[in-house]
Coordinates of all heavy atoms in Angstrom, one line a residue:
Chain A
A97 N 29.9 104.9 47.1 CA 29.9 104.7 48.5 C 28.8 103.6 48.9 O 29.0 102.8 49.7 CB 29.7 105.9 49.3
A98 N 27.7 103.7 48.2 CA 26.6 102.8 48.4 C 26.8 101.5 47.7 O 26.0 100.5 47.8 CB 25.3 103.4 48.1
K99 N 27.8 101.4 46.8 CA 28.0 100.2 45.9 C 26.8 99.9 45.1 O 26.3 98.7 45.1 CB 28.5 99.1 46.7 CG 29.9 99.4 47.4 CD 30.4 98.2 48.2 CE 31.7 98.6 48.9 NZ 32.2 97.6 49.8
S100 N 26.3 100.9 44.5 CA 25.0 100.8 43.7 C 25.2 101.3 42.3 O 25.9 102.3 42.1 CB 23.9 101.6 44.4 OG 22.8 101.7 43.6
F101 N 24.6 100.6 41.4 CA 24.9 100.9 39.9 C 23.6 100.6 39.2 O 23.4 99.5 38.6 CB 26.0 100.0 39.4 CG 26.4 100.3 38.0 CD1 26.8 101.5 37.6 CD2 26.3 99.2 37.1 CE1 27.2 101.7 36.2 CE2 26.7 99.4 35.8 CZ 27.1 100.6 35.3
S102 N 22.6 101.5 39.2 CA 21.3 101.3 38.6 C 21.3 101.8 37.1 O 22.1 102.7 36.8 CB 20.2 101.9 39.3 OG 20.4 103.3 39.4
L103 N 20.5 101.2 36.3 CA 20.4 101.5 34.9 C 19.0 102.1 34.6 O 18.0 101.5 35.0 CB 20.5 100.3 34.0 CG 20.3 100.4 32.5 CD1 21.4 101.3 31.9 CD2 20.2 99.1 31.8
K104 N 19.0 103.3 34.0 CA 17.8 103.9 33.7 C 17.6 103.9 32.2 O 18.5 104.3 31.4 CB 17.7 105.4 34.2 CG 16.4 106.1 33.9 CD 16.3 107.4 34.6 CE 16.9 108.5 33.8 NZ 16.6 109.9 34.3
I105 N 16.4 103.4 31.8 CA 16.1 103.4 30.3 C 14.9 104.4 30.1 O 13.9 104.2 30.7 CB 15.6 102.0 29.9 CG1 16.7 100.9 30.3 CG2 15.4 102.0 28.4 CD1 16.3 99.5 30.0
S106 N 15.2 105.4 29.3 CA 14.2 106.4 29.1 C 13.5 106.1 27.7 O 14.1 105.5 26.9 CB 14.9 107.8 29.0 OG 15.6 108.1 30.2
D107 N 12.3 106.6 27.6 CA 11.5 106.4 26.4 C 11.6 104.9 25.9 O 12.0 104.6 24.8 CB 12.1 107.3 25.3 CG 11.3 107.3 24.0 OD1 10.1 107.0 24.0 OD2 11.9 107.6 22.9
S108 N 11.2 104.0 26.8 CA 11.3 102.6 26.5 C 10.7 102.2 25.2 O 9.6 102.7 24.8 CB 10.7 101.8 27.6 OG 11.4 102.0 28.8
Q109 N 11.4 101.3 24.5 CA 10.9 100.8 23.2 C 10.7 99.3 23.3 O 11.3 98.6 24.1 CB 11.9 101.2 22.1 CG 12.1 102.7 22.0 CD 13.2 103.0 21.0 OE1 13.8 102.1 20.4 NE2 13.4 104.3 20.8
L110 N 9.9 98.8 22.4 CA 9.6 97.3 22.4 C 10.9 96.5 22.3 O 11.0 95.4 22.8 CB 8.6 96.9 21.3 CG 7.2 97.5 21.4 CD1 6.3 97.1 20.2 CD2 6.5 97.0 22.7
G111 N 11.8 97.1 21.5 CA 13.1 96.4 21.3 C 14.0 96.3 22.6 O 15.0 95.7 22.6
D112 N 13.6 97.0 23.6 CA 14.4 97.0 24.8 C 14.0 95.8 25.7 O 14.7 95.5 26.7 CB 14.1 98.3 25.7 CG 14.5 99.5 25.0 OD1 15.5 99.5 24.2 OD2 13.9 100.6 25.3
A113 N 13.0 95.0 25.3 CA 12.6 93.8 26.1 C 13.8 92.8 26.0 O 14.2 92.4 24.9 CB 11.4 93.2 25.5
A114 N 14.3 92.4 27.1 CA 15.4 91.5 27.2 C 15.8 91.2 28.6 O 15.2 91.8 29.6 CB 16.7 92.2 26.5
M115 N 16.7 90.3 28.8 CA 17.4 90.1 30.1 C 18.5 91.2 30.2 O 19.3 91.3 29.3 CB 17.9 88.7 30.3 CG 16.9 87.7 30.6 SD 16.2 87.8 32.3 CE 17.6 87.3 33.3
Y116 N 18.6 91.8 31.4 CA 19.6 92.8 31.6 C 20.5 92.3 32.7 O 20.0 92.0 33.8 CB 19.0 94.2 31.9 CG 18.5 94.9 30.7 CD1 17.2 94.5 30.2 CD2 19.2 95.8 30.0 CE1 16.7 95.2 29.1 CE2 18.7 96.4 28.9 CZ 17.4 96.1 28.4 OH 16.9 96.7 27.3
F117 N 21.8 92.3 32.4 CA 22.8 91.8 33.4 C 23.7 92.9 33.8 O 24.2 93.6 33.0 CB 23.6 90.6 32.8 CG 22.8 89.4 32.5 CD1 22.3 89.1 31.3 CD2 22.6 88.4 33.5 CE1 21.6 88.0 31.0 CE2 21.9 87.3 33.3 CZ 21.4 87.1 32.0
C118 N 23.9 93.0 35.1 CA 24.9 93.9 35.7 C 26.1 93.1 35.9 O 26.1 91.9 36.3 CB 24.3 94.5 37.0 SG 25.4 95.5 37.9
A119 N 27.3 93.7 35.6 CA 28.5 92.9 35.8 C 29.6 93.8 36.3 O 29.7 95.0 36.1 CB 29.0 92.4 34.4
Y120 N 30.5 93.2 37.1 CA 31.7 93.8 37.7 C 32.9 93.2 37.2 O 33.0 92.0 37.0 CB 31.5 93.6 39.2 CG 32.7 94.0 40.0 CD1 32.6 95.2 40.8 CD2 33.9 93.3 40.1 CE1 33.7 95.6 41.6 CE2 35.0 93.7 40.8 CZ 34.9 94.8 41.6 OH 35.9 95.2 42.4
R121 N 34.0 94.1 37.0 CA 35.3 93.6 36.6 C 36.3 94.3 37.3 O 36.4 95.6 37.3 CB 35.4 93.8 35.1 CG 36.4 92.8 34.4 CD 37.7 93.4 34.3 NE 38.5 92.7 33.2 CZ 39.8 92.5 33.4 NH1 40.4 92.9 34.5 NH2 40.5 91.9 32.4
S122 N 37.2 93.6 38.0 CA 38.3 94.2 38.7 C 39.2 94.9 37.8 O 39.5 94.3 36.7 CB 39.0 93.2 39.6 OG 40.2 93.7 40.1
A123 N 39.8 96.0 38.2 CA 40.8 96.7 37.3 C 42.2 96.3 37.8 O 43.2 96.8 37.2 CB 40.6 98.2 37.4
S124 N 42.3 95.4 38.8 CA 43.6 95.2 39.4 C 44.3 93.9 38.9 O 45.3 93.5 39.5 CB 43.5 95.1 40.9 OG 42.7 93.9 41.2
N125 N 43.8 93.3 37.9 CA 44.4 92.1 37.4 C 44.4 90.9 38.4 O 45.2 90.0 38.3 CB 45.9 92.3 36.8 CG 45.9 93.2 35.6 OD1 44.9 93.3 34.9 ND2 47.0 93.8 35.4
S126 N 43.5 91.0 39.3 CA 43.3 89.9 40.3 C 42.5 88.8 39.7 O 42.3 87.7 40.3 CB 42.7 90.4 41.6 OG 41.4 91.0 41.3
G127 N 41.9 89.1 38.6 CA 41.1 88.1 37.9 C 40.6 88.7 36.6 O 40.5 90.0 36.5
Y128 N 40.2 87.9 35.6 CA 39.8 88.5 34.4 C 38.3 88.3 34.1 O 37.8 88.7 33.1 CB 40.6 87.8 33.2 CG 42.1 87.9 33.4 CD1 42.8 86.8 33.8 CD2 42.7 89.1 33.3 CE1 44.2 86.9 33.9 CE2 44.1 89.2 33.5 CZ 44.8 88.1 33.8 OH 46.1 88.2 34.0
A129 N 37.6 87.7 35.1 CA 36.2 87.4 34.9 C 35.4 88.7 35.0 O 35.7 89.6 35.8 CB 35.7 86.4 35.9
L130 N 34.3 88.7 34.3 CA 33.2 89.5 34.6 C 32.3 88.8 35.6 O 31.9 87.7 35.3 CB 32.4 89.8 33.3 CG 32.9 90.8 32.3 CD1 32.1 90.8 31.1 CD2 32.9 92.2 33.0

Side-chain angles (χ1 to χ4, degrees):
Chain A
K99 298 179 183 175
S100 170
F101 182 60
S102 60
L103 175 70
K104 186 171 83 170
I105 306 173
S106 304
D107 186 26
S108 296
Q109 301 174 359
L110 294 177
D112 294 333
M115 281 292 288
Y116 285 81
F117 293 95
C118 178
Y120 171 107
R121 205 263 201 218
S122 170
S124 67
N125 293 340
S126 61
Y128 304 111
L130 279 171

